[in-house]
Amino acid sequence: MNWIAVSIALAVITAVAAAGVAAVTTGWLLPFRRERILRPKLWGASLLLIAFGLAFFLFLGPLGGMPPRHPYLPFLGIGVNFVGLALQLLAQRPGRSPLPSTTTAS
């Protein structure tokens, strides 16, 4: 049963990381998210953080096999996930607009 859970977790983590790499390198987004995301490279970085945090939590915690030496260490992965979620919120907001050029002479 453990190998099934590990296989599913690896598939999900790989898919999230692949979408993150595609967004960071080319700016490509999944079709159902394109209209909401204004900064695709930041969105891709957030997906990479989420994939790392999920892997860190799962493979040091519930799917680790042996009890962890430091039982609170897997929860660091959850903290990384929250940082990734915060970056996703920022990726949906517009960035800074350039300052308008002034035509007045001082």
Side-chain angles (χ1 to χ4, degrees):
M1 181 63 176
N2 192 25
W3 65 272
I4 295 173
V6 169
S7 300
I8 292 171
L10 278 176
V12 168
I13 290 167
T14 303
V16 170
V21 167
V24 167
T25 57
T26 64
W28 183 84
L29 296 170
L30 294 169
F32 58 88
R33 297 299 299 169
R34 288 184 185 149
E35 70 275 353
R36 296 279 312 211
I37 307 304
L38 300 175
R39 295 188 266 178
K41 293 190 187 294
L42 184 61
W43 180 265
S46 71
L47 286 179
L48 289 173
L49 269 176
I50 287 174
F52 175 74
L54 186 62
F56 196 81
F57 172 72
L58 285 177
F59 295 121
L60 287 180
L63 299 179
M66 296 176 55
R69 181 187 272 171
H70 303 287
Y72 299 111
L73 188 61
F75 294 107
L76 185 62
I78 293 175
V80 172
N81 276 330
F82 282 130
V83 171
L85 288 173
L87 286 179
Q88 282 187 347
L89 288 174
L90 289 175
Q92 294 178 15
R93 299 182 59 84
R96 292 184 182 182
S97 61
L99 294 174
S101 61
T102 59
T103 57
T104 60
S106 300

Coordinates of all heavy atoms in Angstrom, one line a residue:
M1 N 0.8 -1.2 0.0 CA 0.0 0.0 0.0 C 0.9 1.3 0.0 O 0.5 2.3 -0.6 CB -0.9 0.0 1.2 CG -1.8 1.1 1.3 SD -2.9 1.2 0.0 CE -4.0 2.5 0.4
N2 N 2.0 1.2 0.7 CA 2.9 2.4 0.7 C 3.4 2.8 -0.6 O 3.5 3.9 -0.9 CB 4.0 2.1 1.7 CG 4.7 3.4 2.0 OD1 4.2 4.5 1.9 ND2 6.0 3.3 2.4
W3 N 3.7 1.8 -1.5 CA 4.3 2.1 -2.8 C 3.2 2.8 -3.7 O 3.6 3.6 -4.5 CB 4.9 0.9 -3.4 CG 3.9 -0.2 -3.8 CD1 3.5 -1.2 -2.9 CD2 3.2 -0.4 -5.0 NE1 2.5 -2.0 -3.6 CE2 2.3 -1.5 -4.8 CE3 3.1 0.3 -6.2 CZ2 1.5 -1.9 -5.8 CZ3 2.3 -0.1 -7.2 CH2 1.5 -1.2 -7.0
I4 N 2.0 2.5 -3.5 CA 0.9 3.2 -4.2 C 0.8 4.6 -3.8 O 0.8 5.5 -4.7 CB -0.5 2.5 -4.0 CG1 -0.4 1.0 -4.6 CG2 -1.6 3.3 -4.7 CD1 -1.7 0.2 -4.3
A5 N 0.9 4.9 -2.5 CA 0.8 6.3 -2.1 C 2.1 7.1 -2.5 O 2.0 8.2 -2.9 CB 0.7 6.3 -0.5
V6 N 3.2 6.4 -2.5 CA 4.5 7.1 -2.9 C 4.4 7.3 -4.4 O 4.8 8.4 -4.9 CB 5.7 6.2 -2.6 CG1 6.9 6.7 -3.2 CG2 5.9 6.2 -1.1
S7 N 3.9 6.4 -5.2 CA 3.8 6.6 -6.7 C 2.8 7.8 -7.0 O 3.1 8.6 -7.9 CB 3.3 5.3 -7.3 OG 4.1 4.3 -7.1
I8 N 1.7 7.8 -6.3 CA 0.7 8.9 -6.6 C 1.4 10.3 -6.2 O 1.3 11.3 -6.9 CB -0.6 8.7 -5.8 CG1 -1.3 7.5 -6.5 CG2 -1.5 9.9 -5.8 CD1 -2.5 7.0 -5.7
A9 N 2.0 10.3 -5.0 CA 2.7 11.5 -4.6 C 3.8 12.0 -5.5 O 3.9 13.2 -5.9 CB 3.3 11.3 -3.2
L10 N 4.6 11.0 -6.0 CA 5.6 11.4 -7.0 C 5.0 11.9 -8.3 O 5.5 12.9 -8.9 CB 6.5 10.2 -7.3 CG 7.6 9.9 -6.3 CD1 8.3 8.6 -6.6 CD2 8.6 11.1 -6.2
A11 N 3.9 11.3 -8.7 CA 3.2 11.8 -10.0 C 2.7 13.2 -9.8 O 2.9 14.1 -10.7 CB 2.1 10.8 -10.4
V12 N 2.1 13.5 -8.7 CA 1.5 14.8 -8.4 C 2.7 15.9 -8.3 O 2.6 16.9 -8.9 CB 0.6 14.8 -7.2 CG1 0.3 16.2 -6.7 CG2 -0.6 14.0 -7.4
I13 N 3.7 15.5 -7.6 CA 4.8 16.5 -7.4 C 5.5 16.7 -8.7 O 5.9 17.9 -9.0 CB 5.8 15.9 -6.3 CG1 5.1 16.0 -4.9 CG2 7.1 16.7 -6.3 CD1 5.9 15.2 -3.9
T14 N 5.7 15.7 -9.5 CA 6.3 15.9 -10.8 C 5.5 16.7 -11.7 O 6.0 17.6 -12.5 CB 6.6 14.5 -11.5 OG1 7.4 13.7 -10.6 CG2 7.3 14.6 -12.8
A15 N 4.2 16.5 -11.7 CA 3.3 17.3 -12.6 C 3.3 18.8 -12.2 O 3.4 19.7 -13.0 CB 1.9 16.8 -12.5
V16 N 3.3 19.1 -10.9 CA 3.3 20.5 -10.4 C 4.7 21.1 -10.7 O 4.7 22.3 -11.2 CB 3.0 20.5 -8.9 CG1 3.3 21.9 -8.3 CG2 1.6 20.1 -8.6
A17 N 5.7 20.4 -10.5 CA 7.1 20.9 -10.8 C 7.2 21.1 -12.3 O 7.8 22.1 -12.7 CB 8.2 20.0 -10.3
A18 N 6.7 20.3 -13.2 CA 6.8 20.5 -14.6 C 6.0 21.7 -15.1 O 6.5 22.4 -15.9 CB 6.3 19.2 -15.3
A19 N 4.8 21.9 -14.5 CA 4.1 23.1 -14.8 C 4.8 24.4 -14.3 O 4.8 25.4 -15.0 CB 2.7 23.1 -14.2
G20 N 5.5 24.3 -13.2 CA 6.3 25.4 -12.7 C 7.5 25.7 -13.6 O 7.8 26.9 -13.9
V21 N 8.2 24.7 -14.1 CA 9.3 24.9 -14.9 C 8.9 25.5 -16.3 O 9.5 26.4 -16.8 CB 10.1 23.6 -15.2 CG1 11.1 23.7 -16.3 CG2 10.8 23.2 -13.9
A22 N 7.7 25.0 -16.8 CA 7.2 25.5 -18.1 C 6.8 27.0 -17.9 O 7.1 27.8 -18.8 CB 6.0 24.7 -18.5
A23 N 6.3 27.4 -16.8 CA 5.9 28.8 -16.6 C 7.1 29.7 -16.4 O 7.1 30.8 -16.8 CB 4.9 28.9 -15.4
V24 N 8.1 29.2 -15.7 CA 9.3 30.0 -15.4 C 10.1 30.2 -16.7 O 10.5 31.3 -17.0 CB 10.1 29.4 -14.3 CG1 11.5 30.0 -14.3 CG2 9.4 29.5 -13.0
T25 N 10.3 29.2 -17.5 CA 11.1 29.3 -18.6 C 10.4 29.9 -19.9 O 11.1 30.7 -20.6 CB 11.7 27.9 -19.0 OG1 10.6 27.0 -19.3 CG2 12.6 27.3 -17.9
T26 N 9.2 29.6 -20.1 CA 8.5 30.0 -21.3 C 7.3 31.0 -21.1 O 6.9 31.6 -22.0 CB 8.0 28.8 -22.2 OG1 7.0 28.1 -21.5 CG2 9.2 27.9 -22.5
G27 N 6.8 31.0 -19.9 CA 5.7 31.8 -19.6 C 4.4 31.1 -19.9 O 3.3 31.6 -19.9
W28 N 4.4 29.8 -20.2 CA 3.3 29.0 -20.6 C 2.5 28.6 -19.3 O 3.1 28.2 -18.3 CB 3.7 27.7 -21.3 CG 2.5 26.9 -21.7 CD1 1.8 27.0 -22.8 CD2 1.9 25.8 -21.0 NE1 0.8 26.1 -22.9 CE2 0.9 25.3 -21.8 CE3 2.2 25.1 -19.8 CZ2 0.1 24.2 -21.4 CZ3 1.5 24.1 -19.4 CH2 0.4 23.6 -20.2
L29 N 1.2 28.8 -19.3 CA 0.3 28.4 -18.2 C -0.7 27.4 -18.7 O -1.0 27.3 -19.9 CB -0.4 29.7 -17.7 CG 0.5 30.7 -17.1 CD1 -0.4 32.0 -16.9 CD2 1.1 30.3 -15.8
L30 N -1.3 26.7 -17.7 CA -2.3 25.8 -18.0 C -3.5 26.5 -18.6 O -3.8 27.7 -18.1 CB -2.7 25.0 -16.8 CG -1.7 24.0 -16.3 CD1 -2.0 23.5 -14.9 CD2 -1.5 22.9 -17.2
P31 N -4.3 26.0 -19.5 CA -5.3 26.8 -20.2 C -6.4 27.3 -19.2 O -6.9 28.4 -19.5 CB -5.9 25.8 -21.2 CG -4.9 24.8 -21.4 CD -4.1 24.7 -20.2
F32 N -6.7 26.6 -18.2 CA -7.8 27.0 -17.3 C -7.4 28.1 -16.3 O -8.2 28.6 -15.6 CB -8.5 25.9 -16.6 CG -7.5 25.0 -15.8 CD1 -7.2 25.3 -14.5 CD2 -6.9 23.9 -16.4 CE1 -6.4 24.6 -13.7 CE2 -6.1 23.1 -15.6 CZ -5.8 23.5 -14.3
R33 N -6.1 28.4 -16.3 CA -5.6 29.5 -15.4 C -5.1 30.7 -16.1 O -4.7 31.7 -15.5 CB -4.4 28.9 -14.6 CG -4.7 27.8 -13.7 CD -5.8 28.2 -12.6 NE -5.3 29.2 -11.8 CZ -6.0 29.9 -10.9 NH1 -7.3 29.6 -10.8 NH2 -5.5 30.8 -10.2
R34 N -5.1 30.8 -17.4 CA -4.5 31.8 -18.2 C -5.1 33.2 -17.9 O -4.5 34.2 -17.9 CB -4.5 31.5 -19.7 CG -3.5 30.4 -20.0 CD -3.5 30.2 -21.5 NE -2.6 29.1 -21.7 CZ -2.7 28.2 -22.7 NH1 -3.6 28.4 -23.6 NH2 -1.9 27.2 -22.8
E35 N -6.4 33.2 -17.8 CA -7.1 34.5 -17.7 C -6.9 35.2 -16.3 O -7.1 36.4 -16.2 CB -8.6 34.4 -18.0 CG -9.4 33.7 -16.9 CD -9.4 32.2 -17.1 OE1 -8.8 31.7 -18.1 OE2 -9.9 31.5 -16.2
R36 N -6.5 34.4 -15.3 CA -6.3 35.0 -14.0 C -4.9 35.4 -13.6 O -4.7 36.2 -12.8 CB -6.8 34.0 -12.9 CG -8.3 33.6 -12.9 CD -9.1 34.7 -12.3 NE -8.5 35.0 -11.0 CZ -9.2 35.4 -9.9 NH1 -10.5 35.4 -10.0 NH2 -8.6 35.7 -8.8
I37 N -3.9 34.8 -14.3 CA -2.5 34.9 -13.9 C -2.0 36.1 -14.7 O -1.9 36.1 -15.9 CB -1.7 33.7 -14.1 CG1 -2.4 32.5 -13.5 CG2 -0.3 33.8 -13.7 CD1 -2.6 32.6 -12.0
L38 N -1.5 37.1 -14.0 CA -0.9 38.3 -14.7 C 0.6 38.2 -14.8 O 1.2 38.9 -15.6 CB -1.3 39.5 -14.0 CG -2.9 39.7 -13.9 CD1 -3.2 41.0 -13.1 CD2 -3.4 39.9 -15.3
R39 N 1.3 37.5 -13.9 CA 2.7 37.3 -13.9 C 3.1 35.8 -13.9 O 3.2 35.2 -12.9 CB 3.3 38.0 -12.7 CG 3.1 39.5 -12.7 CD 3.8 40.2 -11.6 NE 3.0 40.3 -10.5 CZ 3.3 40.9 -9.3 NH1 4.6 41.2 -9.2 NH2 2.5 41.0 -8.3
P40 N 3.2 35.2 -15.1 CA 3.4 33.8 -15.2 C 4.7 33.3 -14.6 O 4.8 32.2 -14.1 CB 3.3 33.5 -16.7 CG 3.5 34.8 -17.4 CD 3.1 35.9 -16.4
K41 N 5.8 34.1 -14.7 CA 7.1 33.6 -14.1 C 7.0 33.5 -12.6 O 7.6 32.6 -12.0 CB 8.2 34.5 -14.6 CG 8.4 34.4 -16.1 CD 9.7 35.1 -16.5 CE 9.8 35.1 -18.0 NZ 10.0 33.9 -18.6
L42 N 6.3 34.4 -12.0 CA 6.2 34.4 -10.5 C 5.3 33.2 -10.2 O 5.5 32.5 -9.2 CB 5.6 35.7 -10.0 CG 5.4 35.8 -8.5 CD1 6.8 35.7 -7.8 CD2 4.7 37.1 -8.1
W43 N 4.3 32.9 -11.0 CA 3.4 31.8 -10.8 C 4.2 30.5 -10.9 O 4.0 29.6 -10.1 CB 2.2 31.8 -11.8 CG 1.3 30.7 -11.7 CD1 1.3 29.5 -12.3 CD2 0.2 30.6 -10.8 NE1 0.3 28.7 -11.9 CE2 -0.5 29.4 -11.0 CE3 -0.4 31.5 -9.9 CZ2 -1.6 29.0 -10.3 CZ3 -1.5 31.1 -9.2 CH2 -2.1 29.9 -9.4
G44 N 5.1 30.4 -11.8 CA 5.9 29.2 -12.0 C 6.8 29.0 -10.8 O 7.0 27.9 -10.3
A45 N 7.4 30.1 -10.3 CA 8.3 30.0 -9.1 C 7.5 29.5 -7.9 O 7.9 28.7 -7.1 CB 8.9 31.3 -8.8
S46 N 6.2 30.0 -7.8 CA 5.4 29.5 -6.7 C 5.0 28.0 -6.8 O 5.0 27.3 -5.8 CB 4.1 30.3 -6.6 OG 3.2 30.0 -7.7
L47 N 4.8 27.6 -8.0 CA 4.6 26.1 -8.2 C 5.8 25.3 -7.9 O 5.6 24.2 -7.3 CB 4.2 25.9 -9.7 CG 2.7 26.3 -10.1 CD1 2.5 26.0 -11.5 CD2 1.7 25.6 -9.2
L48 N 7.0 25.8 -8.2 CA 8.2 25.0 -7.8 C 8.3 25.0 -6.3 O 8.7 24.0 -5.7 CB 9.4 25.7 -8.5 CG 9.5 25.5 -10.0 CD1 10.7 26.3 -10.5 CD2 9.7 24.0 -10.3
L49 N 8.0 26.1 -5.6 CA 8.1 26.1 -4.2 C 7.1 25.1 -3.6 O 7.4 24.4 -2.6 CB 7.8 27.5 -3.6 CG 9.1 28.4 -3.4 CD1 8.6 29.8 -3.0 CD2 10.0 27.8 -2.4
I50 N 5.9 25.1 -4.1 CA 4.9 24.2 -3.6 C 5.3 22.7 -3.8 O 5.1 21.9 -3.0 CB 3.5 24.5 -4.3 CG1 3.0 25.8 -3.7 CG2 2.5 23.4 -4.1 CD1 1.7 26.4 -4.3
A51 N 5.8 22.4 -5.0 CA 6.3 21.1 -5.2 C 7.4 20.7 -4.3 O 7.4 19.5 -3.7 CB 6.7 20.9 -6.7
F52 N 8.3 21.6 -4.0 CA 9.4 21.3 -3.1 C 8.8 21.1 -1.7 O 9.2 20.2 -0.9 CB 10.4 22.4 -3.1 CG 11.5 22.2 -2.0 CD1 12.5 21.2 -2.2 CD2 11.5 23.0 -0.9 CE1 13.4 21.1 -1.2 CE2 12.4 22.8 0.1 CZ 13.4 21.8 -0.1
G53 N 7.9 22.0 -1.2 CA 7.3 21.9 0.1 C 6.5 20.6 0.3 O 6.6 20.0 1.3
L54 N 5.8 20.2 -0.8 CA 5.0 19.0 -0.7 C 5.9 17.8 -0.6 O 5.6 16.9 0.2 CB 4.1 18.9 -1.9 CG 3.1 17.8 -1.9 CD1 2.1 17.9 -0.8 CD2 2.3 17.8 -3.2
A55 N 6.9 17.8 -1.4 CA 7.9 16.6 -1.3 C 8.6 16.6 0.0 O 8.7 15.5 0.6 CB 8.9 16.7 -2.4
F56 N 9.0 17.7 0.5 CA 9.7 17.8 1.8 C 8.8 17.3 2.9 O 9.2 16.5 3.8 CB 10.1 19.2 2.1 CG 11.1 19.4 3.2 CD1 12.4 19.2 2.9 CD2 10.7 19.8 4.5 CE1 13.4 19.4 3.9 CE2 11.6 19.9 5.5 CZ 13.0 19.7 5.2
F57 N 7.5 17.7 2.9 CA 6.6 17.2 4.0 C 6.3 15.8 3.8 O 6.4 15.0 4.8 CB 5.3 18.0 3.9 CG 4.2 17.5 4.8 CD1 4.3 17.6 6.2 CD2 3.1 16.8 4.3 CE1 3.3 17.1 7.0 CE2 2.2 16.3 5.1 CZ 2.3 16.4 6.5
L58 N 5.9 15.3 2.6 CA 5.5 13.9 2.5 C 6.6 12.9 2.7 O 6.4 11.9 3.4 CB 4.9 13.7 1.1 CG 3.5 14.3 0.9 CD1 3.1 14.1 -0.6 CD2 2.5 13.7 1.8
F59 N 7.8 13.2 2.2 CA 8.8 12.2 2.3 C 9.7 12.2 3.5 O 10.4 11.3 3.8 CB 9.7 12.2 1.0 CG 8.9 11.9 -0.2 CD1 8.8 12.7 -1.3 CD2 8.3 10.6 -0.3 CE1 8.1 12.4 -2.4 CE2 7.5 10.3 -1.4 CZ 7.4 11.2 -2.5
L60 N 9.5 13.3 4.3 CA 10.1 13.3 5.7 C 9.0 13.0 6.7 O 9.4 12.8 7.9 CB 10.7 14.6 6.0 CG 12.0 14.9 5.2 CD1 12.5 16.3 5.6 CD2 13.1 13.9 5.5
G61 N 7.8 13.0 6.4 CA 6.7 12.8 7.3 C 5.9 11.5 7.1 O 6.5 10.4 7.3
P62 N 4.7 11.6 6.5 CA 3.8 10.4 6.5 C 4.4 9.3 5.6 O 4.1 8.1 5.8 CB 2.5 11.0 5.9 CG 2.6 12.5 6.0 CD 4.0 12.8 6.1
L63 N 5.1 9.6 4.5 CA 5.5 8.6 3.6 C 7.0 8.3 3.7 O 7.6 7.6 2.9 CB 5.2 9.0 2.1 CG 3.8 9.2 1.8 CD1 3.7 9.7 0.3 CD2 3.0 8.0 2.0
G64 N 7.6 8.7 4.8 CA 9.0 8.6 5.0 C 9.4 7.2 5.4 O 10.6 6.8 5.2
G65 N 8.6 6.3 5.8 CA 8.9 4.9 6.1 C 9.3 4.8 7.6 O 8.7 4.0 8.3
M66 N 10.3 5.5 8.0 CA 10.7 5.4 9.4 C 10.3 6.6 10.2 O 10.1 7.7 9.6 CB 12.3 5.2 9.5 CG 12.8 4.0 8.9 SD 14.6 3.9 8.8 CE 15.0 4.1 10.6
P67 N 10.1 6.5 11.5 CA 9.8 7.8 12.2 C 10.9 8.8 12.1 O 12.1 8.4 12.2 CB 9.6 7.3 13.7 CG 9.5 5.8 13.6 CD 10.1 5.4 12.3
P68 N 10.6 10.0 11.9 CA 11.6 11.0 11.7 C 12.4 11.3 13.0 O 11.9 11.1 14.1 CB 10.9 12.3 11.3 CG 9.5 12.1 11.7 CD 9.3 10.6 11.7
R69 N 13.7 11.6 12.9 CA 14.5 11.9 14.0 C 14.0 13.2 14.7 O 14.0 13.2 15.9 CB 15.9 12.1 13.6 CG 16.9 12.3 14.7 CD 18.3 12.7 14.2 NE 19.0 11.4 14.1 CZ 20.2 11.4 13.5 NH1 20.7 12.5 12.9 NH2 20.9 10.3 13.4
H70 N 13.6 14.1 13.9 CA 13.1 15.4 14.4 C 11.6 15.5 14.0 O 11.3 15.7 12.8 CB 13.8 16.6 13.9 CG 15.3 16.5 14.3 ND1 15.7 16.7 15.6 CD2 16.4 16.3 13.5 CE1 17.1 16.6 15.6 NE2 17.5 16.3 14.3
P71 N 10.6 15.2 14.8 CA 9.2 15.1 14.4 C 8.6 16.4 13.9 O 7.6 16.3 13.2 CB 8.5 14.6 15.6 CG 9.4 14.9 16.8 CD 10.8 14.9 16.3
Y72 N 9.2 17.5 14.1 CA 8.7 18.8 13.7 C 9.3 19.2 12.3 O 8.8 20.2 11.7 CB 8.9 19.9 14.7 CG 8.2 19.5 16.0 CD1 8.9 19.2 17.1 CD2 6.8 19.5 16.1 CE1 8.3 18.9 18.3 CE2 6.1 19.2 17.2 CZ 6.9 18.9 18.4 OH 6.2 18.6 19.5
L73 N 10.3 18.5 11.8 CA 11.0 18.9 10.6 C 10.0 18.8 9.4 O 10.1 19.7 8.5 CB 12.2 18.0 10.4 CG 13.1 18.4 9.2 CD1 13.7 19.8 9.5 CD2 14.2 17.4 9.1
P74 N 9.1 17.8 9.2 CA 8.3 17.8 8.1 C 7.3 19.0 8.0 O 6.9 19.4 6.9 CB 7.4 16.5 8.2 CG 8.3 15.7 9.1 CD 9.0 16.6 10.0
F75 N 7.1 19.7 9.1 CA 6.2 20.8 9.0 C 6.8 22.0 8.4 O 6.2 23.0 8.1 CB 5.6 21.1 10.4 CG 4.7 20.0 10.9 CD1 5.2 19.2 11.9 CD2 3.5 19.9 10.4 CE1 4.4 18.1 12.4 CE2 2.7 18.8 10.8 CZ 3.1 18.0 11.8
L76 N 8.1 22.0 8.2 CA 8.8 23.0 7.5 C 8.3 23.0 6.0 O 8.2 24.1 5.4 CB 10.3 22.8 7.6 CG 11.2 23.9 6.9 CD1 11.0 25.2 7.7 CD2 12.7 23.5 7.0
G77 N 8.0 21.9 5.5 CA 7.5 21.8 4.2 C 6.1 22.4 4.1 O 5.8 23.0 3.0
I78 N 5.3 22.4 5.1 CA 4.0 23.1 5.1 C 4.3 24.6 5.1 O 3.6 25.3 4.4 CB 3.2 22.7 6.3 CG1 2.8 21.2 6.1 CG2 1.9 23.5 6.4 CD1 2.0 20.6 7.3
G79 N 5.3 25.1 5.8 CA 5.6 26.5 5.8 C 6.1 26.9 4.4 O 5.7 28.0 3.9
V80 N 6.8 26.1 3.7 CA 7.2 26.4 2.3 C 6.0 26.5 1.4 O 5.9 27.3 0.5 CB 8.3 25.4 1.8 CG1 8.6 25.6 0.3 CG2 9.5 25.5 2.6
N81 N 5.0 25.6 1.6 CA 3.8 25.6 0.8 C 3.1 26.9 1.0 O 2.5 27.5 0.1 CB 2.9 24.4 1.2 CG 3.2 23.2 0.5 OD1 3.7 23.2 -0.6 ND2 3.0 22.1 1.1
F82 N 3.0 27.4 2.3 CA 2.3 28.7 2.5 C 3.1 29.9 1.8 O 2.4 30.8 1.3 CB 2.2 29.0 4.0 CG 1.1 28.2 4.6 CD1 1.3 27.5 5.8 CD2 -0.2 28.2 4.1 CE1 0.3 26.7 6.4 CE2 -1.2 27.5 4.7 CZ -1.0 26.7 5.8
V83 N 4.4 29.8 1.7 CA 5.1 30.8 1.0 C 4.8 30.7 -0.5 O 4.6 31.8 -1.1 CB 6.6 30.7 1.2 CG1 7.4 31.6 0.3 CG2 7.0 31.0 2.7
G84 N 4.7 29.5 -1.0 CA 4.3 29.4 -2.4 C 2.9 29.9 -2.7 O 2.6 30.5 -3.7
L85 N 2.0 29.6 -1.7 CA 0.6 30.2 -1.9 C 0.6 31.7 -1.9 O -0.2 32.3 -2.6 CB -0.3 29.6 -0.8 CG -0.7 28.1 -1.0 CD1 -1.4 27.6 0.3 CD2 -1.5 27.9 -2.2
A86 N 1.4 32.3 -1.0 CA 1.5 33.7 -1.0 C 2.0 34.3 -2.3 O 1.5 35.3 -2.8 CB 2.4 34.2 0.2
L87 N 3.0 33.6 -2.9 CA 3.5 34.0 -4.2 C 2.4 33.8 -5.3 O 2.4 34.6 -6.3 CB 4.7 33.2 -4.6 CG 6.0 33.6 -3.9 CD1 7.1 32.7 -4.3 CD2 6.3 35.0 -4.1
Q88 N 1.6 32.8 -5.2 CA 0.5 32.7 -6.1 C -0.5 33.8 -6.0 O -1.0 34.3 -7.1 CB -0.2 31.4 -5.9 CG 0.5 30.2 -6.5 CD -0.3 28.9 -6.4 OE1 -1.3 28.8 -5.8 NE2 0.2 27.9 -7.1
L89 N -0.8 34.3 -4.8 CA -1.6 35.5 -4.7 C -1.0 36.7 -5.3 O -1.7 37.5 -6.0 CB -1.9 35.7 -3.2 CG -2.9 34.7 -2.5 CD1 -2.9 35.0 -1.1 CD2 -4.2 34.8 -3.2
L90 N 0.3 36.9 -5.2 CA 1.0 38.0 -5.8 C 1.0 37.9 -7.3 O 1.0 38.9 -8.0 CB 2.4 38.1 -5.3 CG 2.5 38.6 -3.8 CD1 4.0 38.5 -3.4 CD2 2.0 40.0 -3.6
A91 N 1.0 36.7 -7.8 CA 1.1 36.5 -9.3 C -0.2 36.8 -9.9 O -0.3 37.1 -11.1 CB 1.5 35.0 -9.6
Q92 N -1.3 36.8 -9.2 CA -2.6 37.2 -9.7 C -2.9 38.7 -9.6 O -3.9 39.1 -10.2 CB -3.7 36.4 -9.0 CG -3.7 35.0 -9.2 CD -4.7 34.2 -8.4 OE1 -5.7 34.8 -7.9 NE2 -4.6 32.9 -8.3
R93 N -2.0 39.4 -9.0 CA -2.2 40.9 -8.9 C -1.3 41.6 -10.0 O -0.3 41.1 -10.3 CB -1.8 41.4 -7.5 CG -2.7 40.7 -6.4 CD -2.4 41.3 -5.1 NE -2.5 42.7 -5.0 CZ -3.7 43.3 -4.7 NH1 -4.8 42.7 -4.6 NH2 -3.7 44.6 -4.6
P94 N -1.8 42.7 -10.5 CA -0.9 43.4 -11.4 C 0.4 43.9 -10.8 O 0.4 44.2 -9.6 CB -1.8 44.5 -11.9 CG -2.8 44.7 -10.9 CD -3.0 43.4 -10.2
G95 N 1.4 43.9 -11.6 CA 2.7 44.5 -11.1 C 2.7 46.0 -11.1 O 1.6 46.6 -11.3
R96 N 3.8 46.6 -10.8 CA 3.9 48.0 -10.8 C 3.8 48.5 -12.2 O 4.4 48.0 -13.2 CB 5.2 48.5 -10.3 CG 5.4 48.2 -8.8 CD 6.7 48.7 -8.3 NE 6.9 48.5 -6.9 CZ 7.9 48.9 -6.3 NH1 8.9 49.6 -6.9 NH2 8.1 48.6 -5.0
S97 N 3.1 49.6 -12.4 CA 3.0 50.2 -13.7 C 4.1 51.2 -13.9 O 4.5 51.8 -12.9 CB 1.6 50.9 -13.9 OG 1.5 51.9 -12.9
P98 N 4.6 51.4 -15.0 CA 5.7 52.3 -15.2 C 5.2 53.8 -15.0 O 4.0 54.1 -15.2 CB 6.1 52.2 -16.7 CG 5.0 51.5 -17.3 CD 4.2 50.7 -16.3
L99 N 6.1 54.6 -14.5 CA 5.7 56.0 -14.3 C 5.4 56.7 -15.6 O 6.1 56.5 -16.6 CB 6.9 56.7 -13.6 CG 7.2 56.2 -12.2 CD1 8.5 56.9 -11.7 CD2 6.1 56.5 -11.2
P100 N 4.3 57.5 -15.6 CA 4.0 58.2 -16.8 C 5.1 59.3 -17.1 O 5.6 59.9 -16.2 CB 2.6 58.8 -16.5 CG 2.6 58.9 -15.0 CD 3.4 57.8 -14.5
S101 N 5.3 59.4 -18.4 CA 6.3 60.5 -18.8 C 5.6 61.9 -18.6 O 4.5 62.0 -19.0 CB 6.7 60.2 -20.2 OG 5.6 60.3 -21.1
T102 N 6.4 62.8 -18.2 CA 5.9 64.1 -18.0 C 6.3 65.0 -19.2 O 7.4 64.8 -19.8 CB 6.5 64.8 -16.7 OG1 7.9 64.8 -16.8 CG2 6.0 64.0 -15.5
T103 N 5.4 65.8 -19.6 CA 5.7 66.7 -20.8 C 5.9 68.1 -20.4 O 6.1 69.0 -21.3 CB 4.6 66.6 -21.8 OG1 3.4 66.9 -21.2 CG2 4.5 65.2 -22.4
T104 N 5.9 68.4 -19.1 CA 6.1 69.8 -18.7 C 7.6 70.1 -18.5 O 8.3 69.2 -18.1 CB 5.3 70.0 -17.4 OG1 5.9 69.2 -16.4 CG2 3.9 69.8 -17.6
A105 N 8.0 71.3 -18.8 CA 9.4 71.7 -18.6 C 9.4 72.5 -17.3 O 8.6 73.3 -17.1 CB 9.8 72.5 -19.8
S106 N 10.4 72.1 -16.5 CA 10.5 72.8 -15.2 C 11.6 73.8 -15.2 O 12.7 73.6 -15.7 CB 10.7 71.8 -14.1 OG 9.7 70.9 -14.0

